[in-house]
Amino acid sequence: MMFSISFKLLVSKLGLFEKIRGFWRRHRRKVILSVGLLGSGYTLYKLYGAQKQRLLDLEKELEVERETNELIKAQLQAHFESIQRIADSTTLPYAIHYLQSRISQDLDLSNSMQRLIQAKSQPSLLTKAEKVELWERLKILGFVKLVLSLWAITLLSLYIRVQVNILGRHLYIDTARKQGSSLVLEEADQFDKHGEQEFLATADYLSSYGMTQLIPSMEMAVTEVLKGKHLSDTFNAPVLRETIMQILDRFVSIDGPHHWVTYLVPENAVAYKRLTATSSSGLEAATTSLHPDIDKLDQLMAEARFVLSSEDFGGVVDISLRSVVDALVDEMGFGSLLPSGLALAKVLPEVSKMSLLLLEEAVRNKFIQVVRNLPAVQLFYTHLYANMPIVA
């Protein structure tokens, strides 16, 4: 009985198997194709899902990167604007004060002017030859003081902004580099900061040391340009503008196109430290005053000289000087007061007054404002801050 049932089940299974095998024979290609299509579809679906996820992840990464870049740009812009304010509100006023004192001391015209005034009421006080000599001296020194003040205030305002942009760039990069790192280099950082402070202090180099060479060079340029101009010659706005530009051009050509850089920036850190120390305590003190941070100071000075000697900065200087000359001549009012001009002898008192106006404190100095608002100057410092090359 059991055998009979088992046999029937076996036959039934064999029959089913034969049906399946028959179905397979008849539809094998369809089954394989269907399975292949299903498998391919599933695989494509999985690949699509993975690719879609990768794209989503990439978009998130790009969005984070964009947000980071925008944050960095905002921080850079805020930092850039901050250091420009430092230059305008702190460093420049301090440097102008010493520049004004030095020029007033070394180019004091009051004694000569007083002698000429006294000679008017006391004709016998000076001979005719002495009067002529005194007027000629006033002519030379008056223009020396005017053009030197114009050149110095323009270059000093430009140089100080170069300084703070170099320092600002260094400080920003150093801060970003050290975020999240250990404080092992803290002692070295203190030396770096000292070097940076000393570099900023070199804004006074022009007043303290550069003026010694600057005044004779400017006097030579003025003497050569004015040697053919007499006190009775008529000076109007175009003549005055041309005369000042001729003096500036001659001044630059005397010692070479970039020699004036030596009036603003020390040759190197060792020479500067020895110079400053020697002026107060002697050579021995100068030798012992050299600090380990001298490399940092030397690097900053090298970068400043590199920028000041560049063609781009030369273009900025040229534009700035011409703009200040135009503003100066307009301020003297030749065009509105007397279009035909004045005798050079009568122009000299105005020249002396304008020298004082050029050296006014920074917040009221309209000539510094002229330089600061020049689009070429603003663009130059934006590029300098963003792309300052590190000089080895």
Side-chain angles (χ1 to χ4, degrees):
M1 184 69 177
M2 291 293 295
F3 176 77
S4 175
I5 294 172
S6 298
F7 180 76
K8 289 180 179 179
L9 288 172
L10 179 59
V11 171
S12 175
K13 288 180 179 180
L14 287 173
L16 181 60
F17 178 74
E18 285 296 329
K19 289 180 180 180
I20 293 173
R21 197 162 71 175
F23 178 82
W24 172 254
R25 287 196 195 99
R26 291 192 304 273
H27 303 288
R28 179 174 57 187
R29 291 183 179 178
K30 294 180 180 180
V31 171
I32 292 174
L33 182 60
S34 298
V35 171
L37 289 173
L38 288 173
S40 298
Y42 179 75
T43 302
L44 289 173
Y45 172 76
K46 295 295 288 183
L47 288 173
Y48 171 76
Q51 181 66 17
K52 185 176 181 181
Q53 187 60 44
R54 279 196 295 270
L55 289 173
L56 289 174
D57 293 340
L58 181 60
E59 286 180 0
K60 289 180 180 179
E61 290 178 7
L62 290 174
E63 182 62 28
V64 171
E65 185 177 347
R66 278 194 296 268
E67 291 177 356
T68 303
N69 287 338
E70 289 299 323
L71 179 61
I72 292 173
K73 287 180 182 178
Q75 290 175 339
L76 280 169
Q77 182 64 26
H79 193 250
F80 172 76
E81 292 174 355
S82 174
I83 63 175
Q84 309 313 305
R85 287 193 295 271
I86 290 173
D88 295 336
S89 63
T90 305
T91 313
L92 187 56
Y94 178 82
I96 288 178
H97 172 73
Y98 284 99
L99 178 66
Q100 184 185 47
S101 298
R102 182 63 189 271
I103 292 176
S104 298
Q105 176 184 338
D106 291 0
L107 294 171
D108 184 9
L109 308 179
S110 59
N111 185 47
S112 297
M113 293 291 293
Q114 188 64 33
R115 289 184 66 192
L116 285 172
I117 292 172
Q118 289 177 349
K120 283 186 176 181
S121 58
Q122 304 175 40
S124 61
L125 187 64
L126 295 172
T127 66
K128 184 176 181 180
E130 287 174 335
K131 288 180 182 179
V132 171
E133 183 181 354
L134 201 54
W135 271 109
E136 287 296 320
R137 188 61 182 158
L138 278 173
K139 178 184 74 173
I140 298 299
L141 290 184
F143 271 88
V144 168
K145 189 173 183 179
L146 175 72
V147 182
L148 186 143
S149 299
L150 186 151
W151 184 90
I153 198 67
T154 303
L155 268 293
L156 187 63
S157 63
L158 291 172
Y159 170 56
I160 286 175
R161 192 157 291 193
V162 168
Q163 279 188 307
V164 295
N165 275 277
I166 290 174
L167 278 178
R169 183 69 173 168
H170 271 272
L171 292 171
Y172 186 87
I173 292 174
D174 290 346
T175 301
R177 186 180 297 157
K178 293 169 186 175
Q179 281 182 346
S181 64
S182 66
L183 300 177
V184 175
L185 301 177
E186 184 174 348
E187 184 175 351
D189 290 346
Q190 293 303 317
F191 285 127
D192 281 354
K193 289 176 182 177
H194 186 70
E196 289 159 357
Q197 291 167 358
E198 284 198 302
F199 174 61
L200 203 57
T202 62
D204 287 337
Y205 183 80
L206 172 64
S207 302
S208 301
Y209 308 103
M211 202 67 68
T212 304
Q213 295 178 316
L214 174 58
I215 291 176
S217 295
M218 189 63 74
E219 185 171 348
M220 187 183 302
V222 170
T223 302
E224 289 188 19
V225 172
L226 294 185
K227 62 184 178 183
K229 298 185 184 298
H230 305 290
L231 293 171
S232 58
D233 289 350
T234 300
F235 263 59
N236 54 24
V239 172
L240 180 61
R241 182 182 290 107
E242 182 183 2
T243 301
I244 294 174
M245 292 308 305
Q246 286 176 347
I247 294 171
L248 289 171
D249 291 340
R250 183 69 191 109
F251 164 71
V252 172
S253 66
I254 287 175
D255 297 308
H258 298 300
H259 181 74
W260 55 264
V261 174
T262 61
Y263 304 145
L264 290 169
V265 190
E267 182 179 356
N268 55 59
V270 173
Y272 174 67
K273 280 177 170 286
R274 285 182 173 155
L275 182 64
T276 54
T278 303
S279 64
S280 57
S281 306
L283 184 59
E284 182 179 352
T287 304
T288 58
S289 69
L290 300 180
H291 297 291
D293 62 332
I294 194 167
D295 289 339
K296 182 68 173 182
L297 177 59
D298 203 50
Q299 180 190 6
L300 293 170
M301 285 183 178
E303 291 180 14
R305 294 178 72 90
F306 177 81
V307 173
L308 267 58
S309 301
S310 68
E311 184 178 346
D312 289 342
F313 187 76
V316 167
V317 169
D318 185 63
I319 292 171
S320 300
L321 286 173
R322 291 181 182 278
S323 298
V324 173
V325 170
D326 289 342
L328 177 70
V329 174
D330 290 343
E331 185 70 21
M332 294 181 74
F334 279 102
S336 59
L337 297 178
L338 191 60
S340 60
L342 292 169
L344 177 55
K346 293 184 178 181
V347 172
L348 291 180
E350 294 299 318
V351 166
S352 181
K353 291 178 183 177
M354 294 309 297
S355 301
L356 297 175
L357 195 61
L358 281 162
L359 297 173
E360 268 195 328
E361 59 184 57
V363 293
R364 296 186 303 174
N365 196 311
K366 62 181 64 180
F367 303 105
I368 291 177
Q369 294 291 335
V370 167
V371 174
R372 184 185 302 166
N373 294 332
L374 288 171
V377 172
Q378 296 174 352
L379 183 61
F380 173 80
Y381 288 113
T382 301
H383 287 169
L384 174 64
Y385 181 80
N387 306 298
M388 177 63 211
I390 304 300
V391 179

